[in-house]
Amino acid sequence: MKTVVEVIMPQLAESLVSATIEKWLKQPGDPVDVYEPIAEIITDKVNAELPSTLKGTLVKILVRAGETIPVGTPICLVETEEDAASGDPVQAGGHQQGGAGQGASAVSAEAAGSAAAGESDTSMRHRYSPAVQQIAAEHGVNLTLVPGTGLGGRITRKDVLAYVASGAPKQAAPKTAPVPSAASSDQLNMDSRMPVRSTGIHLSETPRIPQVEVEGQSIPGSGETFVDITPIRNTIAQKMRQSVTEIPHGWMMIEVDVTNLVILRNKLKDEFRAREGVNLTYLAFFIKAVVNAIKEYPIINSVWAVDKIIVKRDINISLSVGTEDSVITPVIKNADQKNIAGIAREIDVLARKTREGKLKLDDIQGGTFTVNNTGSFGSILTQPIINYPQAAIVTFESIVKRPVVINDMLAVRSMANVCLSLDHRILDGVICGRFLQRVKDTLEGFDQDMKLY
């Protein structure tokens, strides 16, 4: 006997109270299997695929794409075959709503209407980001031929790459179109920044310059453009507002002489690249220094819980990675159990998965302390907002050569600033000052005998 069961928004993490449906991957009438993704959802700063907990046929969508709902809210109905042996429908995480037959048929009719409405939404179809335009120009792709899977039928970077990979026929863009000239302008800007970035601290050897979304609905004569807020941008805004309104931020900065580190890294990077296939970045050394300092001052690795402070035993480093239109913080789990080579590999994997949109929910959960790499953009001073509900966040700024006084003599050294934002309910200047001093001592203590493994 057939049974219609509600699928609810599960609590995928302890702190998760709500989530946003970004896009439905299944439509009414589509068969679904257990663990098969049925929708893309946005939780804390990340996209994730929501797997089905039922096997059957999706008959109705209850929550529209772009809508934020509390955990436990029914999101769709799935028609399943009842298990004749047990007498129970096949369900896990779903709520039985009613039997099959007339009710299910009515539901199917409504679902068909919903599907038609969803497919007709092409309001964002012809709005292209700079990255999409640049990739299309590079591959000679006519964007009008590319199917859009984004909100409102918008074409994403992945859509263009998938179109190119499929070998679909291409149609060169008109020579007079503005796309090639815009790409050329971006390239010129990138070249002009190379000297600055070459002395910075990078996630990789070729850090990307974030693309800023500027297209939108132009109002004739007003000189203004309206840009719609994407679900992930809205989530970031909510989390940042929560952090700055609930957490009293304090800031500190320390200056570090990383001359020995630069020499060490330059000595090892080619051999490491040949052996591991990934870049040996400065960030791996910095994270190792931060982890060593956290082990000495574990209160840094904690959260505020109203009437108590919870100190986390695991040291899981959240890594800020900029994407096309947002920032995501994948997590290096148990970073204290990894050597520098292991951290470098983790950085490469997480950064690549982030930029390719392949992060899973588990990749961004459980962070206890955040490391940011603002130096990759040439920054020398930052006051970062804490990644709520963590107690602190640290940034590493650009490495720059400048004259410093050593033993009453001038010397040219490679210098970098390390900046810390702290939750002043938990942390004070003394403990944070000692923490930063420990990071500084570790970084300045790297010598030519330092082992990566």
Side-chain angles (χ1 to χ4, degrees):
M1 184 177 69
K2 294 183 177 179
T3 303
V4 176
V5 180
E6 290 180 343
V7 176
I8 64 173
M9 176 62 72
Q11 184 162 19
L12 300 174
E14 183 179 356
S15 59
L16 183 67
V17 296
S18 65
T20 302
I21 300 287
E22 184 184 31
K23 182 177 66 174
W24 282 99
L25 303 176
K26 294 290 184 178
Q27 294 298 323
D30 290 346
V32 295
D33 203 350
V34 179
Y35 305 127
E36 185 178 12
I38 58 175
E40 289 183 355
I41 63 173
I42 297 175
T43 61
D44 188 5
K45 296 185 180 181
V46 73
N47 293 1
E49 291 182 343
L50 179 65
S52 172
T53 55
L54 302 162
K55 180 178 181 180
T57 302
L58 194 152
V59 294
K60 185 178 183 181
I61 292 174
L62 304 176
V63 179
R64 295 175 300 176
E67 188 172 345
T68 301
I69 55 173
V71 169
T73 301
I75 60 174
C76 68
L77 301 179
V78 173
E79 185 181 70
T80 66
E81 291 287 348
E82 185 176 0
D83 188 336
S86 64
D88 295 330
V90 181
Q91 61 176 339
H95 289 173
Q96 181 174 346
Q97 188 187 52
Q102 186 175 357
S105 300
V107 165
S108 298
E110 294 178 18
S114 299
E119 292 174 357
S120 64
D121 182 10
T122 57
S123 57
M124 306 282 283
R125 179 68 178 86
H126 300 291
R127 295 173 57 185
Y128 313 127
S129 71
V132 166
Q133 292 178 326
Q134 183 168 345
I135 295 173
E138 291 173 354
H139 296 278
V141 173
N142 186 343
L143 290 175
T144 60
L145 303 178
V146 179
T149 61
L151 189 64
R154 187 167 191 169
I155 298 172
T156 67
R157 184 172 174 272
K158 289 189 292 186
D159 293 334
V160 181
L161 293 176
Y163 184 84
V164 173
S166 69
K170 302 174 183 178
Q171 179 176 332
K175 294 182 179 180
T176 56
V179 174
S181 60
S184 176
S185 176
D186 290 344
Q187 187 63 44
L188 290 176
N189 290 337
M190 291 177 64
D191 290 340
S192 68
R193 296 180 184 181
M194 287 301 294
V196 176
R197 292 165 52 202
S198 67
T199 60
I201 305 166
H202 311 311
L203 285 173
S204 66
E205 291 295 334
T206 54
R208 299 170 65 251
I209 296 179
Q211 301 283 355
V212 179
E213 189 70 53
V214 294
E215 303 94 339
Q217 180 182 2
S218 298
I219 307 301
S222 68
E224 297 177 339
T225 299
F226 296 153
V227 178
D228 293 332
I229 303 298
T230 62
I232 194 168
R233 174 54 51 191
N234 190 48
T235 301
I236 292 174
Q238 292 176 1
K239 292 298 180 183
M240 293 297 100
R241 182 174 58 190
Q242 183 181 24
S243 182
V244 298
T245 55
E246 294 187 17
I247 298 177
H249 281 58
W251 291 274
M252 296 187 73
M253 186 194 79
I254 196 167
E255 185 182 63
V256 183
D257 185 341
V258 293
T259 304
N260 291 341
L261 172 60
V262 172
I263 296 173
L264 173 64
R265 185 254 182 182
N266 289 338
K267 170 187 173 184
L268 300 176
K269 64 178 185 179
D270 292 338
E271 179 184 351
F272 187 83
R273 175 72 186 178
R275 174 183 296 181
E276 301 290 344
V278 300
N279 294 324
L280 179 63
T281 65
Y282 292 112
L283 192 59
F285 295 91
F286 282 129
I287 290 179
K288 187 63 178 177
V290 167
V291 168
N292 289 344
I294 290 177
K295 287 194 286 189
E296 291 192 24
Y297 303 99
I299 191 67
I300 297 287
N301 199 50
S302 63
V303 298
W304 178 262
V306 182
D307 59 345
K308 60 179 68 68
I309 295 172
I310 302 174
V311 179
K312 302 289 186 178
R313 183 175 302 172
D314 294 333
I315 300 178
N316 300 331
I317 300 298
S318 299
L319 187 65
S320 293
V321 181
T323 64
E324 182 178 327
D325 57 359
S326 65
V327 59
I328 299 176
T329 52
V331 178
I332 300 176
K333 304 285 179 59
N334 300 314
D336 54 318
Q337 300 175 17
K338 302 179 188 300
N339 52 32
I340 293 176
I343 293 174
R345 287 192 293 267
E346 284 276 333
I347 292 172
D348 182 83
V349 170
L350 292 175
R352 182 159 35 81
K353 290 173 68 175
T354 301
R355 288 163 183 158
E356 294 174 355
K358 296 181 178 178
L359 284 176
K360 303 297 182 184
L361 193 60
D362 184 63
D363 291 328
I364 51 90
Q365 288 185 328
T368 59
F369 184 89
T370 298
V371 172
N372 201 353
N373 182 38
T374 47
S376 61
F377 308 115
S379 168
I380 59 171
L381 179 65
T382 304
Q383 291 184 342
I385 298 176
I386 295 171
N387 185 10
Y388 186 93
Q390 298 173 11
I393 178 174
V394 70
T395 70
F396 294 105
E397 308 299 331
S398 288
I399 298 175
V400 294
K401 284 188 175 182
R402 61 183 179 81
V404 297
V405 177
I406 300 177
N407 296 329
D408 294 332
M409 294 183 291
L410 280 176
V412 176
R413 308 290 289 179
S414 295
M415 306 297 293
N417 294 327
V418 178
C419 304
L420 180 77
S421 294
L422 56 109
D423 185 341
H424 224 322
R425 298 171 300 181
I426 303 174
L427 305 171
D428 300 307
V430 173
I431 192 71
C432 290
R434 290 176 176 172
F435 170 81
L436 286 179
Q437 186 63 51
R438 184 68 183 89
V439 173
K440 173 185 172 75
D441 290 344
T442 301
L443 292 174
E444 294 184 348
F446 287 134
D447 56 28
Q448 302 309 298
D449 297 326
M450 179 71 191
K451 302 299 181 184
L452 302 180
Y453 299 89

